[in-house]
């Protein structure tokens, strides 16, 4: 499975497995990975769609980008993707470092599923779109967990999902819609994005680097 990496694989830096939105490892995902690397993490972002043929999501200005991304995601074998991402997490853990998971949208649900069947040291999920179908796994997610949701999310039934996330740190952002951290104008909520990222950075620091 191809992965993009930021930082030194041979360093003792904590590792982060960064899981993409439905748009793949986009410039937005690369930006977040670079920011995490600058904070002292070794970051890998796998090409989750690597087993699929005909993936064409490079043109962010394409008018049918969302439609094509949804179609690509629907062709994915979910269980195989979970297995692939568990392997990526074990790669990080095999280098004797603390490891965290962070995922956005599609990747937020995928990260939650991976955390339920593996053993990360921390999980951050942004508006995981698959969470409504994964809530039965909540008792199996034992890692410290942070979830972000926009209260105006049209894709995730937040009022249903949040009560099932017992023991997790959950933040809701009034007026923010789905994918509010994505800088695309159709999605971005500047205030929710800034505050949620501040909370994410603090949470990861506390759980992976031991900083107060």
């Amino acid at each position: 499975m191809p992965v993009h990496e930021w930082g030194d694989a041979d360093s003792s830096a904590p590792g982060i497995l960064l899981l993409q939105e439905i748009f793949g490892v986009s410039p937005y995902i690369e930006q977040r990975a670079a920011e995490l690397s600058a904070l002292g993490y070794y970051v890998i972002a796998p090409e989750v769609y690597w087993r699929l043929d005909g993936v064409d999501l490079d043109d962010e200005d394409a008018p049918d980008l969302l439609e094509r991304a949804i179609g690509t995601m629907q062709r994915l074998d979910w269980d195989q993707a979970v297995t692939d991402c568990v392997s990526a997490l074990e790669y990080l853990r095999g280098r004797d470092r603390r490891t965290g998971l962070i995922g956005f949208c599609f990747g937020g649900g995928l990260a939650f599923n991976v955390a339920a069947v593996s053993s990360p040291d921390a999980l951050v999920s942004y508006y995981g779109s698959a969470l409504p179908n994964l809530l039965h796994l909540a008792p199996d997610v034992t890692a410290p967990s942070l979830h972000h949701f926009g209260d105006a999310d049209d894709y995730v039934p937040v009022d249903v999902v949040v009560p099932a996330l017992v023991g997790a740190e959950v933040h809701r952002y009034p007026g923010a819609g789905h994918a509010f951290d994505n800088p695309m104008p159709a999605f971005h909520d500047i205030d929710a994005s800034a505050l949620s990222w501040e909370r994410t950075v603090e949470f990861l620091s506390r759980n992976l680097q031991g900083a107060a």
Side-chain angles (χ1 to χ4, degrees):
M1 178 171 59
V3 300
H4 303 257
E5 67 173 353
W6 291 260
D8 183 0
D10 295 322
S11 74
S12 60
I16 291 180
L17 176 61
L18 176 57
L19 299 182
Q20 65 187 52
E21 293 182 314
I22 60 173
F23 303 111
V25 184
S26 63
Y28 156 58
I29 294 299
E30 293 176 339
Q31 173 192 338
R32 284 304 193 204
E35 290 167 349
L36 290 168
S37 177
L39 292 171
Y41 300 99
Y42 170 59
V43 185
I44 62 171
E47 292 279 0
V48 179
Y49 295 150
W50 74 289
R51 296 180 183 273
L52 300 178
D53 295 325
V55 176
D56 181 15
L57 302 172
D58 293 334
D59 184 2
E60 289 196 321
D61 296 322
D64 63 342
L65 177 64
L66 180 58
E67 179 183 344
R68 285 192 281 118
I70 292 173
T72 300
M73 183 267 296
Q74 290 174 338
R75 292 193 289 124
L76 188 73
D77 183 323
W78 179 270
D79 291 338
Q80 183 63 66
V82 170
T83 298
D84 286 344
C85 292
V86 168
S87 295
L89 183 66
E90 292 306 311
Y91 160 78
L92 288 175
R93 293 179 60 82
R95 292 177 176 255
D96 194 27
R97 56 162 59 98
R98 295 183 67 77
T99 56
L101 271 166
I102 179 170
F104 298 87
C105 187
F106 158 71
L110 188 59
F112 183 82
N113 200 151
V114 171
V117 298
S118 190
S119 303
D121 295 301
L123 164 68
V124 180
S125 175
Y126 275 75
Y127 33 78
S129 54
L131 282 175
N133 298 320
L134 299 173
L135 294 179
H136 63 285
L137 296 176
D140 299 322
V141 179
T142 57
S145 302
L146 170 64
H147 291 263
H148 301 292
F149 298 100
D151 272 343
D153 195 317
D154 291 329
Y155 294 90
V156 178
V158 179
D159 289 335
V160 173
V161 170
V162 169
L165 302 175
V166 178
E169 180 179 338
V170 179
H171 294 285
R172 300 174 61 160
Y173 301 86
H178 191 68
F180 63 74
D181 191 57
N182 188 308
M184 290 183 183
F187 305 120
H188 194 55
D189 184 301
I190 188 170
D191 294 329
S193 176
L195 180 55
S196 64
W197 190 249
E198 179 181 328
R199 288 167 167 165
T200 293
V201 169
E202 188 278 329
F203 176 84
L204 292 173
S205 177
R206 176 167 24 104
N207 286 284
L208 299 183
Q209 297 180 327

Short mmCIF file of all heavy atoms in Angstrom, two decimals, residues 157-206:
data_model
loop_
_atom_site.label_atom_id
_atom_site.label_comp_id
_atom_site.label_asym_id
_atom_site.label_seq_id
_atom_site.Cartn_x
_atom_site.Cartn_y
_atom_site.Cartn_z
N PRO A 157 -26.05 12.00 11.72
CA PRO A 157 -27.06 12.33 12.73
C PRO A 157 -26.40 12.52 14.10
O PRO A 157 -26.34 11.61 14.91
CB PRO A 157 -27.99 11.13 12.69
CG PRO A 157 -27.13 9.98 12.26
CD PRO A 157 -26.10 10.58 11.33
N VAL A 158 -25.91 13.72 14.33
CA VAL A 158 -25.07 13.99 15.49
C VAL A 158 -25.78 13.64 16.80
O VAL A 158 -25.17 13.07 17.71
CB VAL A 158 -24.62 15.46 15.48
CG1 VAL A 158 -23.75 15.76 16.70
CG2 VAL A 158 -23.85 15.78 14.21
N ASP A 159 -27.06 13.94 16.89
CA ASP A 159 -27.79 13.68 18.13
C ASP A 159 -27.92 12.18 18.41
O ASP A 159 -28.16 11.79 19.56
CB ASP A 159 -29.18 14.31 18.08
CG ASP A 159 -29.13 15.83 18.16
OD1 ASP A 159 -28.15 16.34 18.73
OD2 ASP A 159 -30.06 16.49 17.66
N VAL A 160 -27.80 11.36 17.40
CA VAL A 160 -27.83 9.91 17.57
C VAL A 160 -26.45 9.37 17.90
O VAL A 160 -26.29 8.50 18.76
CB VAL A 160 -28.38 9.22 16.30
CG1 VAL A 160 -28.26 7.70 16.41
CG2 VAL A 160 -29.81 9.64 16.04
N VAL A 161 -25.44 9.90 17.23
CA VAL A 161 -24.08 9.38 17.36
C VAL A 161 -23.45 9.74 18.71
O VAL A 161 -22.86 8.89 19.38
CB VAL A 161 -23.19 9.88 16.20
CG1 VAL A 161 -21.74 9.54 16.45
CG2 VAL A 161 -23.66 9.29 14.88
N VAL A 162 -23.57 10.99 19.11
CA VAL A 162 -22.85 11.47 20.29
C VAL A 162 -23.15 10.67 21.57
O VAL A 162 -22.23 10.30 22.30
CB VAL A 162 -23.10 12.98 20.51
CG1 VAL A 162 -22.59 13.43 21.87
CG2 VAL A 162 -22.41 13.78 19.40
N PRO A 163 -24.41 10.35 21.88
CA PRO A 163 -24.67 9.60 23.12
C PRO A 163 -23.99 8.23 23.16
O PRO A 163 -23.77 7.69 24.26
CB PRO A 163 -26.19 9.47 23.14
CG PRO A 163 -26.68 10.61 22.32
CD PRO A 163 -25.68 10.77 21.23
N ALA A 164 -23.68 7.67 22.00
CA ALA A 164 -23.05 6.34 21.97
C ALA A 164 -21.55 6.39 22.21
O ALA A 164 -20.93 5.36 22.46
CB ALA A 164 -23.33 5.67 20.62
N LEU A 165 -20.98 7.58 22.16
CA LEU A 165 -19.53 7.72 22.30
C LEU A 165 -19.16 7.91 23.78
O LEU A 165 -18.54 8.91 24.17
CB LEU A 165 -19.02 8.88 21.45
CG LEU A 165 -19.33 8.77 19.95
CD1 LEU A 165 -18.90 10.04 19.22
CD2 LEU A 165 -18.65 7.54 19.35
N VAL A 166 -19.54 6.96 24.58
CA VAL A 166 -19.34 7.04 26.03
C VAL A 166 -17.85 7.07 26.36
O VAL A 166 -17.07 6.24 25.87
CB VAL A 166 -20.02 5.85 26.73
CG1 VAL A 166 -19.78 5.90 28.23
CG2 VAL A 166 -21.51 5.81 26.42
N GLY A 167 -17.46 8.03 27.16
CA GLY A 167 -16.07 8.13 27.58
C GLY A 167 -15.19 8.93 26.66
O GLY A 167 -14.03 9.24 27.01
N ALA A 168 -15.69 9.29 25.48
CA ALA A 168 -14.89 10.07 24.53
C ALA A 168 -15.04 11.56 24.82
O ALA A 168 -16.04 12.01 25.41
CB ALA A 168 -15.33 9.78 23.11
N GLU A 169 -14.05 12.33 24.41
CA GLU A 169 -14.14 13.79 24.45
C GLU A 169 -14.81 14.23 23.16
O GLU A 169 -14.32 13.94 22.07
CB GLU A 169 -12.75 14.41 24.57
CG GLU A 169 -12.75 15.93 24.61
CD GLU A 169 -11.35 16.51 24.76
OE1 GLU A 169 -10.44 15.80 25.24
OE2 GLU A 169 -11.16 17.68 24.36
N VAL A 170 -15.95 14.89 23.26
CA VAL A 170 -16.74 15.26 22.09
C VAL A 170 -16.98 16.77 22.09
O VAL A 170 -17.35 17.34 23.11
CB VAL A 170 -18.09 14.53 22.07
CG1 VAL A 170 -18.91 14.96 20.85
CG2 VAL A 170 -17.89 13.02 22.06
N HIS A 171 -16.76 17.37 20.93
CA HIS A 171 -17.04 18.80 20.78
C HIS A 171 -17.97 19.01 19.59
O HIS A 171 -17.79 18.40 18.53
CB HIS A 171 -15.75 19.58 20.56
CG HIS A 171 -14.83 19.56 21.74
ND1 HIS A 171 -15.06 20.31 22.87
CD2 HIS A 171 -13.69 18.85 21.96
CE1 HIS A 171 -14.08 20.08 23.75
NE2 HIS A 171 -13.25 19.20 23.23
N ARG A 172 -18.96 19.86 19.80
CA ARG A 172 -19.92 20.21 18.76
C ARG A 172 -19.78 21.69 18.45
O ARG A 172 -19.56 22.52 19.35
CB ARG A 172 -21.34 19.86 19.21
CG ARG A 172 -21.50 18.38 19.50
CD ARG A 172 -22.86 18.02 20.10
NE ARG A 172 -23.96 18.36 19.20
CZ ARG A 172 -25.18 17.81 19.31
NH1 ARG A 172 -25.42 16.93 20.27
NH2 ARG A 172 -26.14 18.15 18.49
N TYR A 173 -19.96 22.03 17.17
CA TYR A 173 -19.71 23.39 16.72
C TYR A 173 -20.99 23.96 16.10
O TYR A 173 -21.40 23.55 15.01
CB TYR A 173 -18.54 23.40 15.71
CG TYR A 173 -17.28 22.84 16.34
CD1 TYR A 173 -17.03 21.47 16.34
CD2 TYR A 173 -16.37 23.67 16.99
CE1 TYR A 173 -15.90 20.94 16.95
CE2 TYR A 173 -15.24 23.15 17.61
CZ TYR A 173 -15.02 21.79 17.58
OH TYR A 173 -13.90 21.27 18.19
N PRO A 174 -21.65 24.88 16.81
CA PRO A 174 -22.91 25.43 16.33
C PRO A 174 -22.76 26.08 14.95
O PRO A 174 -21.83 26.85 14.70
CB PRO A 174 -23.26 26.48 17.40
CG PRO A 174 -22.52 26.02 18.62
CD PRO A 174 -21.25 25.41 18.11
N GLY A 175 -23.68 25.76 14.07
CA GLY A 175 -23.69 26.37 12.74
C GLY A 175 -22.76 25.73 11.73
O GLY A 175 -22.86 26.01 10.53
N ALA A 176 -21.85 24.88 12.17
CA ALA A 176 -20.89 24.26 11.25
C ALA A 176 -21.52 23.03 10.60
O ALA A 176 -22.22 22.26 11.25
CB ALA A 176 -19.61 23.86 11.99
N GLY A 177 -21.24 22.85 9.32
CA GLY A 177 -21.75 21.71 8.59
C GLY A 177 -20.74 20.59 8.50
O GLY A 177 -19.69 20.61 9.16
N HIS A 178 -21.04 19.63 7.66
CA HIS A 178 -20.14 18.50 7.46
C HIS A 178 -18.86 18.99 6.77
O HIS A 178 -18.90 19.91 5.96
CB HIS A 178 -20.82 17.43 6.61
CG HIS A 178 -20.07 16.13 6.57
ND1 HIS A 178 -19.96 15.32 7.68
CD2 HIS A 178 -19.39 15.52 5.57
CE1 HIS A 178 -19.25 14.24 7.36
NE2 HIS A 178 -18.90 14.35 6.09
N ALA A 179 -17.74 18.35 7.11
CA ALA A 179 -16.43 18.66 6.49
C ALA A 179 -16.01 20.11 6.72
O ALA A 179 -15.33 20.71 5.89
CB ALA A 179 -16.45 18.33 4.99
N PHE A 180 -16.36 20.65 7.89
CA PHE A 180 -16.09 22.07 8.14
C PHE A 180 -14.60 22.40 8.19
O PHE A 180 -14.22 23.57 8.08
CB PHE A 180 -16.78 22.55 9.42
CG PHE A 180 -16.32 21.87 10.69
CD1 PHE A 180 -15.08 22.19 11.25
CD2 PHE A 180 -17.12 20.95 11.34
CE1 PHE A 180 -14.65 21.58 12.43
CE2 PHE A 180 -16.70 20.34 12.51
CZ PHE A 180 -15.46 20.66 13.06
N ASP A 181 -13.75 21.40 8.37
CA ASP A 181 -12.31 21.69 8.41
C ASP A 181 -11.71 21.76 7.01
O ASP A 181 -10.61 22.28 6.83
CB ASP A 181 -11.58 20.60 9.22
CG ASP A 181 -10.14 20.98 9.52
OD1 ASP A 181 -9.91 22.05 10.12
OD2 ASP A 181 -9.23 20.20 9.15
N ASN A 182 -12.41 21.23 6.02
CA ASN A 182 -11.90 21.26 4.65
C ASN A 182 -11.94 22.70 4.12
O ASN A 182 -12.98 23.36 4.22
CB ASN A 182 -12.76 20.35 3.76
CG ASN A 182 -12.20 20.17 2.36
OD1 ASN A 182 -11.89 21.13 1.67
ND2 ASN A 182 -12.07 18.93 1.94
N PRO A 183 -10.83 23.19 3.54
CA PRO A 183 -10.80 24.59 3.11
C PRO A 183 -11.60 24.90 1.86
O PRO A 183 -11.70 26.08 1.48
CB PRO A 183 -9.30 24.84 2.86
CG PRO A 183 -8.73 23.50 2.56
CD PRO A 183 -9.51 22.53 3.40
N MET A 184 -12.18 23.89 1.20
CA MET A 184 -13.03 24.18 0.05
C MET A 184 -14.16 25.10 0.49
O MET A 184 -14.79 24.87 1.52
CB MET A 184 -13.61 22.89 -0.53
CG MET A 184 -12.62 21.99 -1.22
SD MET A 184 -13.45 20.54 -1.95
CE MET A 184 -12.05 19.62 -2.59
N PRO A 185 -14.45 26.15 -0.29
CA PRO A 185 -15.49 27.11 0.13
C PRO A 185 -16.84 26.48 0.41
O PRO A 185 -17.59 26.99 1.25
CB PRO A 185 -15.56 28.07 -1.08
CG PRO A 185 -14.21 27.98 -1.71
CD PRO A 185 -13.77 26.56 -1.53
N ALA A 186 -17.16 25.38 -0.25
CA ALA A 186 -18.46 24.75 -0.05
C ALA A 186 -18.60 24.14 1.35
O ALA A 186 -19.72 23.92 1.82
CB ALA A 186 -18.68 23.66 -1.11
N PHE A 187 -17.48 23.89 2.00
CA PHE A 187 -17.50 23.19 3.29
C PHE A 187 -16.98 24.03 4.46
O PHE A 187 -17.45 23.86 5.59
CB PHE A 187 -16.64 21.92 3.23
CG PHE A 187 -17.00 20.97 2.14
CD1 PHE A 187 -16.08 20.63 1.15
CD2 PHE A 187 -18.26 20.39 2.08
CE1 PHE A 187 -16.41 19.75 0.14
CE2 PHE A 187 -18.59 19.49 1.08
CZ PHE A 187 -17.67 19.17 0.10
N HIS A 188 -16.04 24.90 4.23
CA HIS A 188 -15.21 25.46 5.30
C HIS A 188 -15.98 26.36 6.25
O HIS A 188 -16.78 27.21 5.84
CB HIS A 188 -14.06 26.26 4.68
CG HIS A 188 -12.96 26.59 5.63
ND1 HIS A 188 -12.29 25.64 6.36
CD2 HIS A 188 -12.40 27.77 5.98
CE1 HIS A 188 -11.36 26.21 7.10
NE2 HIS A 188 -11.42 27.51 6.90
N ASP A 189 -15.73 26.14 7.55
CA ASP A 189 -16.20 27.05 8.59
C ASP A 189 -14.95 27.48 9.35
O ASP A 189 -14.36 26.71 10.10
CB ASP A 189 -17.18 26.34 9.52
CG ASP A 189 -17.77 27.28 10.57
OD1 ASP A 189 -16.99 27.87 11.36
OD2 ASP A 189 -19.01 27.41 10.61
N ILE A 190 -14.53 28.72 9.14
CA ILE A 190 -13.23 29.17 9.62
C ILE A 190 -13.10 29.09 11.14
O ILE A 190 -12.06 28.68 11.66
CB ILE A 190 -12.92 30.60 9.11
CG1 ILE A 190 -11.48 31.00 9.45
CG2 ILE A 190 -13.93 31.60 9.63
CD1 ILE A 190 -11.03 32.28 8.78
N ASP A 191 -14.16 29.42 11.86
CA ASP A 191 -14.09 29.42 13.31
C ASP A 191 -14.05 27.99 13.86
O ASP A 191 -13.25 27.67 14.75
CB ASP A 191 -15.27 30.18 13.91
CG ASP A 191 -15.21 31.67 13.59
OD1 ASP A 191 -14.10 32.21 13.45
OD2 ASP A 191 -16.29 32.29 13.48
N ALA A 192 -14.92 27.14 13.36
CA ALA A 192 -14.95 25.75 13.81
C ALA A 192 -13.65 25.04 13.45
O ALA A 192 -13.13 24.24 14.23
CB ALA A 192 -16.14 25.02 13.20
N SER A 193 -13.12 25.34 12.27
CA SER A 193 -11.86 24.73 11.85
C SER A 193 -10.72 25.11 12.78
O SER A 193 -9.96 24.24 13.24
CB SER A 193 -11.53 25.16 10.41
OG SER A 193 -10.29 24.66 10.01
N ALA A 194 -10.61 26.40 13.09
CA ALA A 194 -9.52 26.86 13.95
C ALA A 194 -9.62 26.29 15.36
O ALA A 194 -8.63 25.83 15.93
CB ALA A 194 -9.51 28.39 13.98
N LEU A 195 -10.81 26.33 15.94
CA LEU A 195 -10.97 25.86 17.31
C LEU A 195 -10.78 24.35 17.41
O LEU A 195 -10.13 23.85 18.34
CB LEU A 195 -12.36 26.25 17.83
CG LEU A 195 -12.69 25.83 19.26
CD1 LEU A 195 -11.65 26.34 20.26
CD2 LEU A 195 -14.09 26.30 19.65
N SER A 196 -11.33 23.61 16.45
CA SER A 196 -11.18 22.15 16.50
C SER A 196 -9.73 21.74 16.32
O SER A 196 -9.26 20.78 16.96
CB SER A 196 -12.07 21.48 15.45
OG SER A 196 -11.67 21.84 14.14
N TRP A 197 -8.99 22.45 15.47
CA TRP A 197 -7.58 22.11 15.28
C TRP A 197 -6.77 22.42 16.54
O TRP A 197 -5.89 21.65 16.93
CB TRP A 197 -7.01 22.83 14.08
CG TRP A 197 -5.64 22.33 13.70
CD1 TRP A 197 -4.45 23.01 13.82
CD2 TRP A 197 -5.32 21.04 13.18
NE1 TRP A 197 -3.42 22.21 13.38
CE2 TRP A 197 -3.92 21.00 12.99
CE3 TRP A 197 -6.08 19.91 12.86
CZ2 TRP A 197 -3.27 19.87 12.51
CZ3 TRP A 197 -5.44 18.79 12.37
CH2 TRP A 197 -4.04 18.78 12.20
N GLU A 198 -7.08 23.53 17.19
CA GLU A 198 -6.42 23.85 18.45
C GLU A 198 -6.65 22.74 19.47
O GLU A 198 -5.72 22.31 20.16
CB GLU A 198 -6.97 25.18 18.98
CG GLU A 198 -6.39 25.62 20.31
CD GLU A 198 -7.01 26.93 20.79
OE1 GLU A 198 -7.36 27.77 19.95
OE2 GLU A 198 -7.15 27.08 22.02
N ARG A 199 -7.86 22.25 19.55
CA ARG A 199 -8.18 21.16 20.47
C ARG A 199 -7.50 19.86 20.06
O ARG A 199 -7.05 19.09 20.91
CB ARG A 199 -9.69 20.97 20.53
CG ARG A 199 -10.41 22.09 21.28
CD ARG A 199 -11.91 22.05 21.06
NE ARG A 199 -12.61 22.93 22.01
CZ ARG A 199 -13.87 23.31 21.87
NH1 ARG A 199 -14.59 22.90 20.82
NH2 ARG A 199 -14.42 24.11 22.78
N THR A 200 -7.42 19.62 18.77
CA THR A 200 -6.74 18.41 18.28
C THR A 200 -5.27 18.43 18.63
O THR A 200 -4.72 17.42 19.11
CB THR A 200 -6.92 18.30 16.75
OG1 THR A 200 -8.31 18.07 16.46
CG2 THR A 200 -6.09 17.17 16.17
N VAL A 201 -4.62 19.55 18.41
CA VAL A 201 -3.19 19.67 18.71
C VAL A 201 -2.94 19.43 20.20
O VAL A 201 -2.01 18.71 20.58
CB VAL A 201 -2.67 21.05 18.27
CG1 VAL A 201 -1.26 21.31 18.81
CG2 VAL A 201 -2.67 21.16 16.74
N GLU A 202 -3.78 20.02 21.05
CA GLU A 202 -3.60 19.84 22.50
C GLU A 202 -3.84 18.39 22.90
O GLU A 202 -3.10 17.83 23.72
CB GLU A 202 -4.56 20.77 23.24
CG GLU A 202 -4.36 20.83 24.74
CD GLU A 202 -5.01 19.66 25.48
OE1 GLU A 202 -6.05 19.16 25.00
OE2 GLU A 202 -4.48 19.25 26.53
N PHE A 203 -4.86 17.77 22.34
CA PHE A 203 -5.20 16.39 22.68
C PHE A 203 -4.07 15.44 22.27
O PHE A 203 -3.67 14.56 23.05
CB PHE A 203 -6.49 16.01 21.96
CG PHE A 203 -6.92 14.58 22.14
CD1 PHE A 203 -7.64 14.19 23.25
CD2 PHE A 203 -6.61 13.62 21.18
CE1 PHE A 203 -8.04 12.87 23.42
CE2 PHE A 203 -7.00 12.31 21.33
CZ PHE A 203 -7.72 11.93 22.45
N LEU A 204 -3.56 15.61 21.06
CA LEU A 204 -2.47 14.75 20.61
C LEU A 204 -1.21 14.97 21.44
O LEU A 204 -0.51 14.02 21.79
CB LEU A 204 -2.18 15.01 19.13
CG LEU A 204 -3.27 14.57 18.14
CD1 LEU A 204 -2.92 15.05 16.73
CD2 LEU A 204 -3.44 13.06 18.16
N SER A 205 -0.92 16.21 21.78
CA SER A 205 0.24 16.50 22.61
C SER A 205 0.12 15.83 23.96
O SER A 205 1.07 15.20 24.46
CB SER A 205 0.38 18.02 22.78
OG SER A 205 1.47 18.32 23.63
N ARG A 206 -1.06 15.90 24.54
CA ARG A 206 -1.30 15.32 25.87
C ARG A 206 -1.18 13.80 25.85
O ARG A 206 -0.64 13.20 26.77
CB ARG A 206 -2.67 15.76 26.36
CG ARG A 206 -3.11 15.18 27.67
CD ARG A 206 -4.33 15.89 28.26
NE ARG A 206 -5.16 16.57 27.33
CZ ARG A 206 -6.35 16.12 26.89
NH1 ARG A 206 -6.80 14.94 27.31
NH2 ARG A 206 -7.08 16.85 26.06
#
